[in-house]
Structure formats: C-alpha cells, structure tokens
Amino acid sequence: MDSINKLIENLNKEQKEAVLSTEGPNLIVAGAGSGKTRVLTTRLAHIINSKKAWPNQILCVTFTNKAAKEMQNRVLSYVSEKSTAVPWLGTFHAISVKFLRRHAEAIGLKGNFTILDTDDQKKIVRNICKAEEIDAKKITPRFILSFLDKWKNKGLLPEDIKEDKFTGLEKSIFKVYKIYQTKIRDLNACDFGDLILYCVKLFENHSDIKKIYNNNFKYILVDEFQDTNFIQNKWLNLLVNEQKNICCVGDDDQSIYSWRGAEIKNFLTFDHIYKGCKVFKLEQNYRSTKNILETASTLISHNKGRVEKKLWSSAQHGEKVKLNCYQTGREEAENISDILENKLKKTYSLNNVAILVRAIYQTREFEERFLKVGLGYRVLGGTKFYERAEIKDAVAYLRIINQKYDDLALERVIENPRRGVGESTLNQLYSFGSQNKLCLEDSIKKQLETDSLKPKMKTSLLLLTKMIDKWRIDVKTNKHYDLLKIVLDESGYSEMLKNKKDFENESRLDNIKELLRAMREYDNLQSFLEHVALATSIDKEWEGEKINLMTMHAAKGLEFDVVFLPGWEEGLFPHQKSLEEKGDLALEEERRLAYVGITRAKKEAYLSFAMKRSYHGEWMDALPSRFINEIPDENIEKNEIETASRSKEDFEFNQDIDMDFNNEYRSPGWERFKKNKMLKWKK
C-alpha cells in the first residue's frame, strides 16, 4: 500500500500545491486529462491521514455513483487500514437522502418517506391530467415533469411562484405542479428534484439543524463543479462553515450541460463569492499528444467566458490532427470506414476508437457502412438506429403494407398512435384469429362485421384497415420513401410526434428524416425492408472488438486512442437551433463541446466535413464549421478526399431473401460474417 507522502511526492508541482492547500476556499481548475480524480482523492486522503479531520467530518460530493465508489475505493487504499470509509461521500441526491431521513419531520414528512421513480411520477401526472382534462397526448407527462424539474432546480416550490405570471401552456403545467406536490406529500413521498430542494428549505428554515452540519463538516470537496445547477450550488453554500474550507474541482471548458440546468457562472464566480479564494490550475495533460492539445487549446481560447489556461504535455507532438473534406456525408462514412479497415485496425484495437457526432441521427450512415464492410460497432449512451422506437414504428407501417400476415407489425401500428385498443381486446382478436386460422388483420376485419367490439374501438379499427388497404394501392404508384411520408401523415403518427412536448422530440423527428433519406438508397420497399431485417440480425450476432459510436455529450469523461469528429458544418456544428435559442452563450457552449470532443483523443484525431448533405431528400450545399477556422494550421493536416465510385454490387442487402448467399454476397464484410459463423443461415 502506497503511503500518502509517496503519492504526494509523485504529483507534479501544481497538483501537489492543490493537494496540500487544505484551508480556506480553493478552486482547482483541472484541464482535460490533467489528473483531476487523482488530485481530489489524494487531497481527501491527505486530510484524513494528517488528522485534520475524521472521515465523518468531511463532505465529499460527486455527480455519479460510479465516481463516488471509485473515490471511496481509492481513499481506502491510500490511508491506513484502521481508517473507515468516508460516510458523507456520495452524490448530491444520495447525501440529501441521508439528511432528510434524519430530519424528515422538520419538513412535514415521515422518516420512512418513499422516493418516487420516473414511472411513479409519470403515473401521477397522467392521472392529474385526466382529472383536469389536460390532453396528455399533446403535453406528455415527461414534458410536464421536465418543467417541474426546472422549477425545482431553481429552488421554486408552487408557493414560491406567482401564478399570474403564466399563460397558456405554462399555466396548465403550473396547475399540475400544485396538485402534484400536494398528492406526493399526501403519499409521504418525494421525487429526485425534491431531495436537494427540501434540504435547502430545511437548512434555510431551521438554523439549529444547519448549525449541526456546519459544525460537523470541517472540509467540503466537490467534483465536477462546472456541472452544478442553482439549487446544488445553494445547497453547498448553506453547508459551508465559517472557516470556508470548501474545495471545488472542475473545468469550465468542459461545461456542456446547460440544457440540463448546469450553470457555468457557479464556476466562474466562485472566487468572487468566496473572497480570498486560492485558484490552482492543472494544465499539464497526461492523455494526449502536443498536436491534439494545441488544437483544442487554440480553439477554446476563442471563448470569452472562461478561466484562462492552456493545456500542455511533455509527450511528443505525435500525428497532426487530420482535417478531411468530403463531397458528401456518405463519402465521409465510407472513407472513415476505409481508414479504420486499412490503416488503424493494424495498430489499434477497435475498442479504443470512437466516432463522436453532434446529433444522434448522424450515426445512421456509419452504422450502415460498418454493417456493409463487416466492422463491429456499439452505440454508447444511445440506441442503434434501427432499434430506435420511432424507427421501429415507421418500419412497422411499411411491414404491414408489404404483407398482411405480419401480426407483430400490425400490433405496433395499432399502438402507435394509440387507437383505444387495450390488451384485453388484442387478446380477443388474437384468440378469434387462432380459432379460425386467421392473421390479426383478417381477424380484425371479421370482428368488424359483428357487434363484438365497442363502437369507438370499432370506428378506430375500421379507419385503420381502410387506410392500410389504401396504402397497398398507393405503393404501386408512389416511391416507397414518398409512401412513408403519406403513411405517417394519414395515420396520425406525424401529428403525434410533432405534438409530443419533450426534449427528445427534435431527435425523434431528425431520426425520421434520416430514415426517409436512407430509403432513397434502395430501389423499392421490399429491398429496403430486407435491408433492415438483415442489418438488425447481423448486428445482434456481432462479437469481438467494436468501434464506439456516440454523441460528444456522451463522450465526456471518456478517452480513446483515436477519435473521429465528423460533420463539422455550419448548422450541424455549431447546431443552428442552439444558436437561435441562446445566441452567443450557445456558441460558447458548442465550442466547449468541440473542445471536449478533441480532448477525448490520446494519439490521433480526425476532423471532417462534407461539401454537401442530403436534407429531406434534397442535396444542400454545406459550409465548413466556423470552428475549423479557429484551429491552428501548424497542428493540422488538410486533405481533400476523392473517394472512388463504388459499385452497388459490392455489398447490398437489397437482394431476394431466398437467394443463394454463397454466390451473391461477395463483400469483405459478408465473407467475414460467414467465416466467423456469426450468421447461421439454413442451407
């Protein structure tokens, strides 16, 4: 077991100073890859080992349970065996629960109060909407709960808000908020948003309780401080004692969660709030090459609202950051695939390669390409394209049009949007079909001729069956991708998506647009459906090394040997909607996102943009992202890639399902699948 002194001696000068400066307010500005976790845990262990405080006198706050567990284990390995774990080490929510269990009566709860999960919350909101005649289809429970969470993150209970300030939608949501809080109090329950807020109310209204913890906590340590919101920061301020021994660690350049309520000003104003604050800058990076760091540092230096710093490394310059220009987005995916297959795969494990996108719909072209050439992949922090709910819904409509015996597809169509057909009715229809050897569609049509169905349900199913019959005629005179537009509009699915008020709605709409674009690559409906079926089958069978696909937001805290950053075009990155909503503040956050993306790379980084992208089936000229102009020429290698035209015969899934696979599929990917026995086709 390493001694604390040895651990401290192995730190660099800035890290050592940050660890040893235990008294008063401290802000540790920890750049990407600068050893933030090591410094924080060593500081915690040092406080315990030097007898400055007992473990139960230290409050240490993290943002994830994983981070808390990792820190607890590290500290236990650093200090003497006789020492106990740090009891007040955990997330804001976990620690808040401990406070509230002890003092529940002071805020009007019993000590055995229930913590509601998301499903519980949705159910309560749904019941309130029904009672108050609020259309839960147009204003989803999830959307309402996002408003409630926003208010709670601002420290606002219903009694703290002036009702007359709201009109229209917000007025209805506020009405739900008042009823919701009353109901959950009656249930002796609270939700996640309440946990921190009730602690703040507890400390504000009960100075005697606040004093207990002020006296107990000699030191407060906070990880990822740049991600704190208003109520979390207030919670911390209330717990700081007269000595103000609070140490916050983070990186303002990695503050990318304003859409979740994070307020970067908590970080930027810390030294103003806590007078005499010592600021320590950890600028030595232990992750990336000099070229990668200089590229990232120069880019982020264009932000005005930040703590001045510049990352540096004692490592070699390494490969220059590649900046590649492509004709189209498809060529971008093809070339990146070729680089992986022909160059990088020989040097790196695919598990240590990542493709980071700005918007999740961008993964589709890469997924298609990797399936085509036989490269394994995973989507981290999200769902694979053809497994996303809205994509499966849209494909279900196409499947039932293609052939009426697809009962599973029809069942999904009936449920999305909901047509008033419950589980018992579906069971009735299936049972009748089984008895009479009928598929679900024919069973419905037979039942429609009787009085066995309720009038409202009968009307709904009759309309649906007529639409399906019409679409089967439409498919003969319309392109398959145009047919899908018609189907989604006439079925009510498009309206359902547009009316859903939640934060994922934009992504769902983008995914549908991407699906329509994907369909244009196939000659007809049959070939496209076969592609989807085969693609998902192959994907599920894949084993071994996998390329990592994810958004830049999901990549924070991770690192990879090689990182690809495609789609650096105006409107896509920086994202146009973000700029329209928040202007310069959004631009700075988008730039921080770019910084996070580049600094995930340890050895090689590839930036790229396309000259044209397809939107809604139309080719649009694309402009390179303004961020490209902000990166230093001396650290990058610029390439205009000419991709050779590829034969459709190379590898397509749009063949007849009954074909002789051995004769028809000739691609490297298909050969690899057969060799590795990842697909077990019946001969």
Side-chain angles (χ1 to χ4, degrees):
M1 186 182 297
D2 290 333
S3 70
I4 295 299
N5 289 335
K6 187 177 179 182
L7 284 168
I8 293 173
E9 284 304 311
N10 287 333
L11 300 174
N12 66 41
K13 178 176 176 290
E14 291 74 22
Q15 290 174 329
K16 194 180 297 181
E17 289 174 354
V19 166
L20 296 176
S21 177
T22 57
E23 308 309 300
N26 288 184
L27 181 67
I28 302 175
V29 184
S34 62
K36 166 180 71 68
T37 304
R38 186 183 184 191
V39 167
L40 190 60
T41 51
T42 306
R43 181 187 176 97
L44 177 56
H46 168 64
I47 292 171
I48 297 170
N49 199 63
S50 59
K51 304 287 193 291
K52 292 178 178 291
W54 295 106
N56 68 343
Q57 294 176 313
I58 305 169
L59 174 65
C60 189
V61 190
T62 66
F63 263 82
T64 66
N65 290 317
K66 182 182 176 184
K69 187 177 180 179
E70 182 184 346
M71 191 173 294
Q72 193 79 261
N73 290 337
R74 284 202 195 187
V75 171
L76 285 171
S77 70
Y78 292 168
V79 300
S80 66
E81 293 181 13
K82 295 180 180 178
S83 296
T84 60
V86 183
W88 294 99
L89 192 163
T91 64
F92 279 98
H93 292 99
I95 294 169
S96 293
V97 170
K98 293 178 74 170
F99 289 143
L100 295 178
R101 292 289 183 207
R102 293 182 174 191
H103 309 287
E105 287 76 11
I107 56 167
L109 290 172
K110 296 175 182 166
N112 63 343
F113 63 84
T114 302
I115 302 170
L116 302 176
D117 62 22
T118 304
D119 288 339
D120 296 329
Q121 292 178 269
K122 287 179 180 177
K123 188 175 181 179
I124 293 169
V125 169
R126 199 174 288 112
N127 290 338
I128 295 170
C129 288
K130 189 175 180 180
E132 298 299 319
E133 297 183 343
I134 298 169
D135 191 346
K137 291 181 181 178
K138 292 186 176 180
I139 311 175
T140 64
R142 190 170 181 176
F143 183 69
I144 293 171
L145 287 167
S146 71
F147 263 78
L148 272 55
D149 196 51
K150 181 177 72 174
W151 283 323
K152 291 180 181 184
N153 286 340
K154 293 290 185 182
L156 301 172
L157 287 168
E159 56 266 30
D160 303 317
I161 302 172
K162 293 182 179 179
E163 190 172 353
D164 57 6
K165 68 181 283 189
F166 298 124
T167 58
L169 183 67
E170 282 195 337
K171 191 173 183 178
S172 297
I173 295 173
F174 181 68
K175 185 179 181 180
V176 173
Y177 188 19
K178 288 195 295 183
I179 301 169
Y180 172 86
Q181 279 307 115
T182 302
K183 278 188 177 294
I184 65 172
R185 296 283 294 208
D186 292 343
L187 293 169
N188 190 39
C190 59
D191 60 29
F192 262 61
D194 290 327
L195 295 175
I196 300 174
L197 176 54
Y198 283 167
C199 282
V200 168
K201 299 291 184 184
L202 175 71
F203 298 142
E204 285 181 332
N205 299 329
H206 299 273
S207 58
D208 55 332
I209 296 174
K210 177 177 175 291
K211 192 175 180 180
I212 292 171
Y213 294 103
N214 290 152
N215 292 335
N216 182 71
F217 295 134
K218 291 186 176 182
Y219 296 93
I220 296 176
L221 286 74
V222 188
D223 193 16
E224 302 287 4
F225 185 59
Q226 78 282 345
D227 293 333
T228 54
N229 58 31
F230 172 85
I231 199 69
Q232 289 165 339
N233 194 44
K234 194 169 186 178
W235 184 96
L236 287 167
N237 292 339
L238 287 165
L239 288 167
V240 175
N241 60 21
E242 291 181 1
Q243 285 70 44
K244 295 183 171 51
N245 292 334
I246 180 171
C247 175
C248 293
V249 185
D251 183 7
D252 54 307
D253 288 338
Q254 296 186 70
S255 179
I256 57 174
Y257 296 124
S258 66
W259 51 277
R260 280 195 328 209
E263 296 191 3
I264 192 173
K265 70 178 182 181
N266 293 342
F267 194 100
L268 297 177
T269 60
F270 184 87
D271 58 342
H272 298 295
I273 294 171
Y274 293 97
K275 302 297 182 183
C277 167
K278 295 178 184 175
V279 179
F280 301 93
K281 297 181 183 179
L282 308 184
E283 297 173 302
Q284 184 173 358
N285 176 284
Y286 295 92
R287 176 187 298 157
S288 309
T289 64
K290 285 182 179 179
N291 277 317
I292 291 171
L293 289 180
E294 288 172 10
T295 299
S297 292
T298 305
L299 174 63
I300 198 63
S301 68
H302 289 79
N303 273 7
K304 296 177 181 178
R306 64 186 292 266
V307 177
E308 188 65 34
K309 56 188 165 299
K310 186 176 178 70
L311 295 184
W312 65 275
S313 173
S314 59
Q316 296 180 342
H317 278 83
E319 296 264 348
K320 286 192 174 186
V321 174
K322 308 295 191 299
L323 175 61
N324 295 338
C325 168
Y326 300 99
Q327 289 288 326
T328 66
R330 185 172 183 177
E331 285 191 3
E332 183 177 52
E334 288 177 351
N335 188 260
I336 288 173
S337 170
D338 289 347
I339 293 171
L340 283 163
E341 185 83 68
N342 301 324
K343 179 187 173 186
L344 299 180
K345 197 178 172 187
K346 300 172 184 176
T347 308
Y348 305 104
S349 164
L350 295 182
N351 294 328
N352 286 322
V353 177
I355 297 175
L356 311 182
V357 297
R358 176 60 180 87
I360 192 65
Y361 75 86
Q362 290 175 259
T363 67
R364 201 273 306 176
E365 279 189 314
F366 292 99
E367 292 186 53
E368 299 268 21
R369 181 64 185 171
F370 295 154
L371 288 167
K372 184 175 182 179
V373 300
L375 288 171
Y377 72 94
R378 63 172 70 85
V379 179
L380 295 184
T383 308
K384 294 181 178 181
F385 186 80
Y386 288 113
E387 293 175 7
R388 294 167 195 169
E390 60 277 8
I391 301 301
K392 293 175 78 170
D393 290 343
V395 170
Y397 277 96
L398 297 174
R399 281 167 52 185
I400 195 61
I401 292 167
N402 191 55
Q403 69 109 345
K404 73 174 186 178
Y405 299 103
D406 195 336
D407 290 355
L408 292 176
L410 182 54
E411 185 177 332
R412 194 172 186 106
V413 165
I414 291 171
E415 293 173 347
N416 297 284
R418 295 193 176 277
R419 305 177 198 276
V421 180
E423 188 176 348
S424 61
T425 304
L426 267 175
N427 289 336
Q428 174 191 327
L429 292 166
Y430 273 124
S431 179
F432 180 81
S434 180
Q435 292 169 14
N436 295 278
K437 297 183 178 179
L438 300 172
C439 63
L440 180 58
E441 182 177 333
D442 286 342
S443 177
I444 292 170
K445 288 179 176 178
K446 285 289 184 184
Q447 291 283 284
L448 288 172
E449 296 173 0
T450 69
D451 295 325
S452 60
L453 298 172
K454 294 178 181 178
K456 191 174 180 180
M457 197 180 300
K458 190 173 182 178
T459 302
S460 177
L461 289 173
L462 180 62
L463 177 62
L464 177 61
T465 55
K466 285 185 175 180
M467 284 192 294
I468 292 171
D469 289 339
K470 173 186 172 296
W471 296 331
R472 285 176 182 147
I473 297 169
D474 290 343
V475 75
K476 298 174 182 177
T477 56
N478 289 275
K479 293 286 188 182
H480 50 295
Y481 43 84
D482 289 330
L483 173 69
L484 182 57
K485 293 178 189 175
I486 295 168
V487 169
L488 295 180
D489 287 341
E490 292 182 353
S491 65
Y493 193 87
S494 292
E495 186 181 4
M496 180 192 77
L497 277 190
K498 290 172 184 175
N499 288 336
K500 273 189 176 182
K501 303 293 185 184
D502 62 34
F503 291 119
E504 282 75 38
N505 197 41
E506 184 184 351
S507 290
R508 283 193 289 266
L509 292 169
D510 282 340
N511 285 332
I512 290 293
K513 293 171 186 173
E514 185 65 18
L515 177 67
L516 289 165
R517 192 169 80 79
M519 291 178 69
R520 291 176 174 268
E521 298 175 14
Y522 297 87
D523 296 332
N524 51 54
L525 180 59
Q526 181 74 24
S527 65
F528 174 71
L529 290 174
E530 287 169 6
H531 163 72
V532 174
L534 287 168
T536 51
S537 297
I538 289 171
D539 182 39
K540 288 175 182 176
E541 296 284 344
W542 197 277
E543 297 176 357
E545 294 183 359
K546 296 179 180 180
I547 302 155
N548 301 282
L549 282 170
M550 70 194 83
T551 63
M552 282 181 270
H553 283 102
K556 187 172 177 290
L558 303 177
E559 59 182 37
F560 305 91
D561 287 336
V562 185
V563 167
F564 290 88
L565 297 152
W568 278 44
E569 298 137 31
E570 285 293 307
L572 183 54
F573 191 48
H575 201 276
Q576 187 61 36
K577 190 175 180 182
S578 296
L579 299 184
E580 289 172 355
E581 290 178 351
K582 296 181 180 178
D584 288 344
L585 290 176
L587 179 61
E588 295 219 339
E589 181 153 332
E590 292 282 299
R591 192 177 282 111
R592 291 195 292 271
L593 193 56
Y595 172 85
V596 166
I598 295 171
T599 55
R600 298 312 93 195
K602 294 187 331 187
K603 297 176 181 178
E604 295 190 47
Y606 292 76
L607 310 181
S608 58
F609 64 95
M611 296 169 66
K612 290 181 180 291
R613 290 265 177 199
S614 178
Y615 295 97
H616 310 295
E618 299 291 330
W619 286 103
M620 306 284 290
D621 289 335
L623 293 173
S625 169
R626 69 190 74 185
F627 298 153
I628 289 173
N629 293 328
E630 296 174 355
I631 57 181
D633 286 340
E634 59 268 25
N635 300 116
I636 61 172
E637 178 186 305
K638 298 179 181 179
N639 302 295
E640 186 170 343
I641 309 297
E642 292 186 9
T643 308
S645 60
R646 302 176 187 271
S647 170
K648 283 191 175 182
E649 294 176 2
D650 176 46
F651 187 92
E652 295 281 9
F653 281 128
N654 61 356
Q655 311 283 344
D656 189 88
I657 196 75
D658 295 322
M659 69 183 174
D660 182 348
F661 290 100
N662 288 322
N663 292 333
E664 296 293 332
Y665 282 80
R666 300 174 188 250
S667 79
W670 183 253
E671 292 301 321
R672 193 174 295 132
F673 287 135
K674 290 192 296 181
K675 184 178 178 181
N676 295 342
K677 299 180 180 179
M678 292 182 181
L679 290 176
K680 288 87 174 174
W681 298 104
K682 292 182 181 179
K683 294 188 177 179

